[in-house]
Amino acid sequence: MSESVIAALSRLSIEPSTRDVLQHNASESQAGWSDALSSSASSNVPVEYRLLKTLVFKPKTAKSETPLPLMVVTDDKTQTSTSAIAAETKLKELRLAVPELLKSTLDATKDDVSPLSVTQENKSKVRVLLDKDIVTSGTTYAVHARSASETVFLTGEALQRYLESTQVQLDVVAFSTLQAPNAPAAKAKPEPKSKTVDAKIPEAELIGITVRKDLDFPEWYQQVLRKGDMLDYYDVSGCYILKPWSYFVWECIQRFFDDEIRKLGVQNCYFPMFVSSDVLEREKDHIEGFAPEVAWVTRAGKSELEKPVAIRPTSETVMYPYYARWIQSHRDLPLKLNQWNSVVRWEFKHPQPFLRTREFLWQEGHTAHLTKQEAADEVLDILGLYRRVYTDLLAIPVVPGVKSEKEKFAGGLYTTTVEGYIPTTGRGIQGGTSHCLGQNFSKMFDIAVQDPKATDETRGKPEGRLHVWQNSWGLSTRTIGVMVMVHGDDKGLVMPPRVSSKQVVLVPCGLGVKVSQEVKDAVNDTCKKVAAELVRNGVRAHADLRDNYNPGFKFNDWELRGVPLRLEIGPKDLDNASVMSVRRDTGAKQAMKLDSLKTAVPELLEQIQQDMYTRADEEFKAHRKVVTDWDLFTSTLNAKNHVIIPWCEEEECEDAIKDRSARTASSEEAQDERAPSMGAKSLCIPFDQEAYPAIQGKSCPQCGKPAKRWTMFGRSY
Amino acid sequence: MSESVIAALSRLSIEPSTRDVLQHNASESQAGWSDALSSSASSNVPVEYRLLKTLVFKPKTAKSETPLPLMVVTDDKTQTSTSAIAAETKLKELRLAVPELLKSTLDATKDDVSPLSVTQENKSKVRVLLDKDIVTSGTTYAVHARSASETVFLTGEALQRYLESTQVQLDVVAFSTLQAPNAPAAKAKPEPKSKTVDAKIPEAELIGITVRKDLDFPEWYQQVLRKGDMLDYYDVSGCYILKPWSYFVWECIQRFFDDEIRKLGVQNCYFPMFVSSDVLEREKDHIEGFAPEVAWVTRAGKSELEKPVAIRPTSETVMYPYYARWIQSHRDLPLKLNQWNSVVRWEFKHPQPFLRTREFLWQEGHTAHLTKQEAADEVLDILGLYRRVYTDLLAIPVVPGVKSEKEKFAGGLYTTTVEGYIPTTGRGIQGGTSHCLGQNFSKMFDIAVQDPKATDETRGKPEGRLHVWQNSWGLSTRTIGVMVMVHGDDKGLVMPPRVSSKQVVLVPCGLGVKVSQEVKDAVNDTCKKVAAELVRNGVRAHADLRDNYNPGFKFNDWELRGVPLRLEIGPKDLDNASVMSVRRDTGAKQAMKLDSLKTAVPELLEQIQQDMYTRADEEFKAHRKVVTDWDLFTSTLNAKNHVIIPWCEEEECEDAIKDRSARTASSEEAQDERAPSMGAKSLCIPFDQEAYPAIQGKSCPQCGKPAKRWTMFGRSY
């Protein structure tokens, strides 16, 4: 794709300022793009450049007509007033184009799209409005080479020549002269009306989060992760650096889970990251799902390998040939192994930190049992631990249940899951899965023992052999992304106390120039002493005595990182032998006696943990709606709900539900990410069926067949 | 290489039983080869086959003549009496050929060599004695395709035809008829005289170690690892499975080291495993050492990547571009990050479990400091922790010191190390390294801050900027291999109590058929109760109540795995309220009162830990020899010593030492691995110079220049 762009540019003697297309992390925002470029180690990035902004609008169009979208191309910082543009182009009711329209006209997403998306083939499906200011300025622009993960650097003049060469309908107008119909003509500056402007938080300082969580969630998520010091972008697309602030959360999860599975008799081990193709492809159903995403090592140093080796996308087929060797007798059962490792799935969809990354950290447990019952019990034991990771550590409610046949792990018998909920988008998110693989893999890999109940007739014969029952279960760093999305707010992260690397920060306050050095020292010393005392009592406390920042900066800094509790200590507090505590989750302030902190602070942290869970739980409960009438399905979904229906559990019905709930949505105008047009899929069949009316006599609202169980549907990540 | 073998075979219409050459782990022993084949998932392995044995002997040859080695080819299980062969071939004093001779005649190692090593080009440099029994038997043999990691399957008849086609001097004799000169002719079975036979432990049962540690160390090492349940071979060459028994050791090391570095202010994080080529190759000196071993991902699913990405061989160049961004002010210093991960170095040398593997687990710490002194202090703090991992956890003595310029980490300023010693081979082994990188990387990646001491003139100018001082330090799972090699004995592993997954095993004894069920129950119950009580007191105890094995089997089983302490409980012990304890390290038996175990067992475990260290320490001390006369250097080395000389510290001298100590050795006849012909290199310049006489006035024994410091030389892994 990008090569043909270069070819097209070359035909016009337009040389990109470098010969190469720069590869980087795809981003869902301009800020993310900018970060990806500035973090690039490539020498192809010019010293000075600006980002190009490309917006595609759909004008009001008669229902009988095919809409002709308008592409607007300008500097990232130039305000684009839709009313001014509408006036200039004589178009009406410009709305941002929905994904389907972008796809059908330019074969692009909103993140990919750029003037280079226009070609001689699709020139008649779009018209373009190019800002003359960027043509005359001589500035070099970063332009997506038809993909959000590829950038070339071009001048506005080159862009104009390229667009002209495609013969697309092109208008070149200086945006600085554009006027909204009712705006006073005196000042040529257009009104700030675009969505980006609306989402901005006016009072946010440079270091703070600059957009509102509810108005620009993708941008908010990226900012909160980076400014909250959770991660950094990386110069290999789809990969991210986990900084200590987020890695600590993972360490808490590891410590908890490791201790618990040890009680269940699970042992840790380590298998190699490489898999031979023979082994990888042994189980066909299973590998089908992973094959397109498998990364292959074909070369070492300068030598081509005789046979390429894959990097594991998961380890079933890696481990089970060895299980077949290690399990010789029923006395070798159960075999319960776990490993903490990273796996690689080279996804080509947009990566998203923690949620969809090409390498991710997880644990994967693989166990073998003599009986189905023993395997089934363990599946639930593990799922119970996953639930506790969410509820007890991350303060996040989840719904445990079983997956539909369509959504279960390929090659397994059944899949259990804990399902979470992101209130801002109303989308569901799979939290962790515990699979019963049945005997499918054990038959494939011949993992079998002599049946201890074999009779004299069957002993030693095939009938006397018993294939083991297997489970596999995994929990990944996705947990961290869910935690950020659920709890974070417009000021940044909000960390649940139990997984926060720092739980309490002490900030000396009120130490203006008029305060004596003696008092300053006393305040600082008190901060240090209190922190030390708290640490002795098992609280992760930190005194922020940096002398080059004022208290306001420090408040902001720790709020961005989501430290659960701030203790402010000033001269007056010393006089009263008290401190002022400020909760991160609610902002609630409360004076606390100095001599009570040793016990009061741990109690308050525990209260914060409980309150965070309770709030998230109430929010999720309020968005699980029982629906028995199909007409209400999509509208309930659109109101950011999960929808619980009495369901027939047929796969065709699941497909139809996805289809019909998608179609309904896409006929509306999608304003932004917040109303995604994707269809709903089944998230899980909750274990707790008692919470709903008796299923007998109910029929599936979509197809009318008899319902089997209440099932939770939703749009999901 | 292997393709030309196939080509040569095809010309003779010899089709290997499969078209493919089988790739597998190279092994240094026949048993390892057998394991590699039987663990192969390839369908190319025939159902029935036997291993081929290929030995190359050098006959007595006049000094003025070039020796013509004799290749002996037979079944792996056929005894090869050198005296019988000598009688048959009229050759004298057959000795196994040294590596140099194998290399110069057949371009092979003892592990690679096979009849397929003979070609038309080298046919005149060797003669072959082929066992007629394997030609007439029709058996299919596994034959190395000129490399220890490649096998083809051929009949003896095909081997004969191949050898004939090369026109090599070939004798085909039925070994079953061979007779040693003085052997009675009645029985055609040749005398067992070969080395392999000598190394065998006659009383070893099938599950035990079948060779003596001191006589066949490579084979012993492989057996002890597999039979002691430490690891399993894997079907990607150079990769191994770490089973729970060995992984637990690593978890102990992790827990200890993690707690200690946290006290030093180090935080854990995770960087992606992939590196772009641009970044990887930024530091030229550094990458030069790794480039030939870097594994490259070039494909994902069916798509070729536009730019291949490397898998990290180490993370300096991965991390430091980000350090440059994160470190903006001296207040951001020190930055101390660590990660527990795996790295990949695709070595083409023979892999060796734990010591040289293509993927291995380690931790790598990367820190940045404002001053050289602070960096230097940390280098030693970390090295001190590495020393404690060996001495305190693994009961292994090490010598801390600094590496010579030649042996230091490429691109760094200096390297400190802890150096261990393997008594059986007399070779040294690098235990862990802590590098001061100086400012080399920080200048390369521009990791700099405003000098806090900058004056008004220099502030904001290049002179006022200060490049940070960096360290990196790493410790790998190699630790586990060292532990096995140092402590293991002819019965299997000997685990230091502090890192043993099970520390105490209780075995019920004396429960013959005449013993009443009541007494049996009482004995078993006591085992259970004692184990539970020990567990409550922090001892990792296990009651082995398996009813399908007798006590002798269980003793053997736990001795193989090296459990530090066995407690035997029988009916008489119950009467006396006592148990019989047996130490794994010494075999010492001692009765212990039942009611004393809670305190006596932990004390005894501690004693075992101390004694294991003391014995290893005495052994190492006895093999560190001060030498000041060059004439004694190589002979001292050959007696399995490290040699400590007053050294000039010149690189040319180090090369000369390696050269001269190698040459001297290779002029002897190398009987086996135990007298390697490699030269000595400098292992470290010990910090403890006080242990040796004053260096003033001493001169280097090799070159005669003035000596600078006492330096430890040795052959090493």
Side-chain angles (χ1 to χ4, degrees), chain A residues 1-3 20-21 23 35 38-44 150 226 232-236 239-245 247-248 251 255 258-259 262 267-276 278-279 282 291-303 305-309 311-312 318 321-322 325-326 329 331 336-337 340 342-344 346 348 358-359 361 501-502 546-549, chain B residues 1-3 20-21 23 35 38-44 150 226 232-236 239-245 247-248 251 255 258-259 262 267-276 278-279 282 291-303 305-309 311-312 318 321-322 325-326 329 331 336-337 340 342-344 346 348 358-359 361 501-502 546-549:
Chain A
M1 178 69 103
S2 57
E3 273 164 355
D20 282 333
V21 174
Q23 308 285 326
D35 287 337
S38 62
S39 71
S40 170
S42 167
S43 57
N44 296 340
E150 295 181 334
R226 299 200 57 195
D232 207 337
Y233 287 91
Y234 190 69
D235 83 324
V236 173
C239 297
Y240 303 89
I241 300 163
L242 300 196
K243 297 184 78 174
W245 197 251
Y247 195 79
F248 185 86
E251 288 181 296
R255 192 67 67 116
D258 238 2
D259 286 348
R262 196 163 295 181
Q267 295 180 295
N268 285 328
C269 64
Y270 189 77
F271 275 72
M273 71 157 83
F274 298 116
V275 206
S276 70
D278 291 350
V279 169
R282 190 83 70 88
E293 299 171 357
V294 168
W296 291 92
V297 174
T298 66
R299 185 151 52 88
K302 297 203 177 298
S303 317
L305 300 188
E306 290 214 22
K307 286 192 179 178
V309 294
I311 304 179
R312 63 182 159 215
V318 174
Y322 300 92
R325 292 171 52 188
W326 298 340
S329 147
R331 296 188 185 84
K336 302 183 180 188
L337 299 182
W340 295 93
S342 77
V343 289
V344 171
W346 204 270
F348 291 93
R358 286 181 170 171
E359 180 193 6
L361 301 179
S501 172
K502 290 184 172 65
R546 290 177 290 180
D547 58 5
N548 57 321
Y549 294 121
Chain B
M1 177 70 99
S2 58
E3 274 165 353
D20 281 334
V21 174
Q23 309 285 325
D35 287 337
S38 62
S39 71
S40 170
S42 168
S43 58
N44 296 340
E150 295 182 333
R226 298 200 57 195
D232 207 338
Y233 288 90
Y234 190 69
D235 82 324
V236 174
C239 297
Y240 303 89
I241 300 163
L242 300 196
K243 296 184 77 175
W245 198 252
Y247 195 79
F248 185 86
E251 288 181 295
R255 193 67 66 117
D258 237 3
D259 287 348
R262 195 164 296 182
Q267 296 180 297
N268 285 328
C269 64
Y270 189 77
F271 275 71
M273 72 157 84
F274 298 116
V275 206
S276 70
D278 291 349
V279 170
R282 189 84 70 87
E293 300 170 358
V294 169
W296 291 93
V297 173
T298 65
R299 185 151 53 88
K302 296 201 177 299
S303 318
L305 301 188
E306 291 214 21
K307 286 193 179 179
V309 295
I311 304 179
R312 61 180 160 217
V318 173
Y322 300 93
R325 292 171 52 187
W326 299 340
S329 147
R331 295 186 185 86
K336 302 184 180 186
L337 299 182
W340 296 93
S342 77
V343 289
V344 171
W346 204 270
F348 292 92
R358 285 180 170 171
E359 180 192 6
L361 301 179
S501 173
K502 291 185 171 63
R546 290 177 290 179
D547 57 5
N548 57 321
Y549 294 120

Side-chain angles (χ1 to χ4, degrees), chain B residues 26-324:
Chain B
S27 165
E28 297 191 359
S29 71
Q30 297 284 97
W33 183 21
S34 172
D35 287 337
L37 294 177
S38 62
S39 71
S40 170
S42 168
S43 58
N44 296 340
V45 180
V47 178
E48 290 203 1
Y49 64 91
R50 298 181 59 78
L51 295 188
L52 194 71
K53 174 157 75 173
T54 308
L55 298 172
V56 180
F57 295 95
K58 173 185 162 298
K60 191 180 183 185
T61 314
K63 284 206 171 172
S64 56
E65 285 178 28
T66 307
L68 183 72
L70 172 71
M71 175 186 286
V72 173
V73 179
T74 181
D75 185 289
D76 184 41
K77 295 294 176 216
T78 300
Q79 303 291 358
T80 41
S81 154
T82 46
S83 52
I85 292 169
E88 173 67 30
T89 54
K90 317 276 190 261
L91 295 170
K92 284 183 187 166
E93 295 184 23
L94 292 176
R95 297 274 172 83
L96 284 171
V98 295
E100 288 72 13
L101 185 60
L102 278 173
K103 178 80 185 161
S104 63
T105 52
L106 294 163
D107 192 24
T109 71
K110 76 169 180 52
D111 305 318
D112 296 337
V113 78
S114 89
L116 300 178
S117 307
V118 180
T119 62
Q120 297 195 349
E121 287 71 39
N122 63 26
K123 65 180 180 199
S124 60
K125 294 183 180 170
V126 66
R127 56 180 286 195
V128 180
L129 179 65
L130 176 64
D131 182 357
K132 192 167 191 170
D133 298 335
I134 73 167
V135 177
T136 54
S137 69
T139 307
T140 297
Y141 281 92
V143 183
H144 280 311
R146 297 183 192 161
S147 151
S149 62
E150 295 182 333
T151 297
V152 290
F153 294 92
L154 297 170
T155 61
E157 184 273 336
L159 279 174
Q160 180 172 355
R161 276 205 286 143
Y162 173 80
L163 287 166
E164 284 166 352
S165 78
T166 65
Q167 300 175 298
V168 73
Q169 180 186 343
L170 175 67
D171 298 294
V172 183
V173 177
F175 279 29
S176 54
T177 66
L178 278 188
Q179 288 178 21
N182 303 322
K187 187 83 182 101
K189 193 180 169 203
E191 281 180 316
K193 280 228 170 171
S194 75
K195 175 199 107 195
T196 312
V197 175
D198 290 341
K200 273 187 186 159
I201 298 176
E203 72 273 25
E205 314 215 357
L206 192 61
I207 67 157
I209 309 295
T210 62
V211 295
R212 279 173 54 182
K213 184 183 184 187
D214 58 346
L215 291 183
D216 192 351
F217 189 61
E219 175 68 25
W220 173 88
Y221 183 61
Q222 301 217 17
Q223 286 198 18
V224 85
L225 290 179
R226 298 200 57 195
K227 298 188 176 182
D229 214 23
M230 297 292 266
L231 60 70
D232 207 338
Y233 288 90
Y234 190 69
D235 82 324
V236 174
S237 177
C239 297
Y240 303 89
I241 300 163
L242 300 196
K243 296 184 77 175
W245 198 252
S246 64
Y247 195 79
F248 185 86
V249 179
W250 188 235
E251 288 181 295
C252 290
I253 292 171
Q254 287 187 304
R255 193 67 66 117
F256 164 80
F257 190 75
D258 237 3
D259 287 348
E260 292 296 326
I261 59 175
R262 195 164 296 182
K263 292 179 200 163
L264 296 175
V266 179
Q267 296 180 297
N268 285 328
C269 64
Y270 189 77
F271 275 71
M273 72 157 84
F274 298 116
V275 206
S276 70
S277 54
D278 291 349
V279 170
L280 184 69
E281 288 156 9
R282 189 84 70 87
E283 215 290 349
K284 296 293 175 194
D285 283 348
H286 172 69
I287 195 55
E288 209 170 78
F290 292 108
E293 300 170 358
V294 169
W296 291 93
V297 173
T298 65
R299 185 151 53 88
K302 296 201 177 299
S303 318
E304 296 294 322
L305 301 188
E306 291 214 21
K307 286 193 179 179
V309 295
I311 304 179
R312 61 180 160 217
T314 180
S315 301
E316 279 75 10
T317 60
V318 173
M319 295 170 86
Y320 299 164
Y322 300 93
Y323 280 43

Side-chain angles (χ1 to χ4, degrees), chain B residues 468-486:
Chain B
V468 303
W469 292 83
Q470 290 181 273
N471 297 335
S472 71
W473 25 272
L475 186 80
S476 78
T477 39
R478 160 176 276 218
T479 43
I480 301 171
V482 179
M483 181 196 78
V484 170
M485 288 184 163
V486 168

